[in-house]
Amino acid sequence: MSRSLPRVWLALISALLFSCAGVGMKSLGTVDGKLTGCPSSPNCVCSDSDQAGHFIEPLRFQSDADAAWAAAQRAVLSMPRTRIVLRDSDYLHAESRSALLGFVDDLELRLDAAERLIAVRSASRLGWSDMGVNRRRVETLRQKLDADGFFP
């Protein structure tokens, strides 16, 4: 019996590692010019959300929109374990992986040049709580942009 216990643990850990790698994407992109809202779970923040628990301030800029958009892309690329998977002239989708188990979170940016802002959404693909990781990710992005001088 004691020999089977390590096998059970190995199977559980393997299942956890492979099932939490972030295989699919839920509710990404824009709807009616806004980033998709957050699910009911507390593991998502979005500046286009009207839900108090999910709302986070957008990234507001005073500089040229193209320069601010380029700075935002550089800042995303500088974040650890983060890669851009889709980008165009006013939308960016990146994946951020956790260091320990490789959980994937989705980071989205939407440029609104007329309003001089970049809307942002960061959401976990799996689980219920993120223990504040997505909110901290957006605030880290904001700090990087503040240091770059494009955002107040």
Side-chain angles (χ1 to χ4, degrees):
M1 184 118 183
S2 64
R3 288 185 148 197
S4 66
L5 188 57
R7 288 182 183 157
V8 169
W9 278 108
L10 182 59
L12 286 172
I13 291 170
S14 296
L16 179 65
L17 286 174
F18 292 111
S19 67
C20 295
V23 178
M25 296 177 282
K26 300 184 227 176
S27 305
L28 297 178
T30 59
V31 176
D32 296 328
K34 301 285 185 187
L35 293 171
T36 304
C38 290
S40 61
S41 56
N43 59 3
C44 173
V45 294
C46 182
S47 61
D48 284 343
S49 176
D50 57 1
Q51 300 168 310
H54 295 290
F55 179 76
I56 193 161
E57 285 292 326
L59 307 170
R60 298 186 186 281
F61 57 89
Q62 297 174 345
S63 63
D64 173 70
D66 290 335
W69 188 237
Q73 292 176 55
R74 285 192 305 274
V76 168
L77 285 171
S78 75
M79 299 176 81
R81 298 172 309 282
T82 300
R83 70 181 185 99
I84 295 175
V85 294
L86 175 67
R87 99 179 83 179
D88 62 29
S89 62
D90 64 352
Y91 176 80
L92 178 143
H93 170 226
E95 294 176 339
S96 296
R97 291 190 177 272
S98 66
L100 185 58
L101 295 175
F103 292 108
V104 177
D105 294 343
D106 293 295
L107 175 64
E108 296 177 279
L109 305 179
R110 178 187 58 79
L111 174 65
D112 186 334
E115 293 293 323
R116 306 187 78 65
L117 65 82
I118 297 175
V120 63
R121 180 180 189 268
S122 186
S124 301
R125 286 189 187 172
L126 299 172
W128 181 258
S129 175
D130 66 352
M131 298 168 68
V133 168
N134 287 295
R135 188 169 295 277
R136 284 192 302 276
R137 177 178 296 113
V138 172
E139 292 308 330
T140 297
L141 180 60
R142 189 184 317 278
Q143 290 172 357
K144 287 177 179 288
L145 290 166
D146 287 347
D148 211 6
F150 285 97
F151 297 78

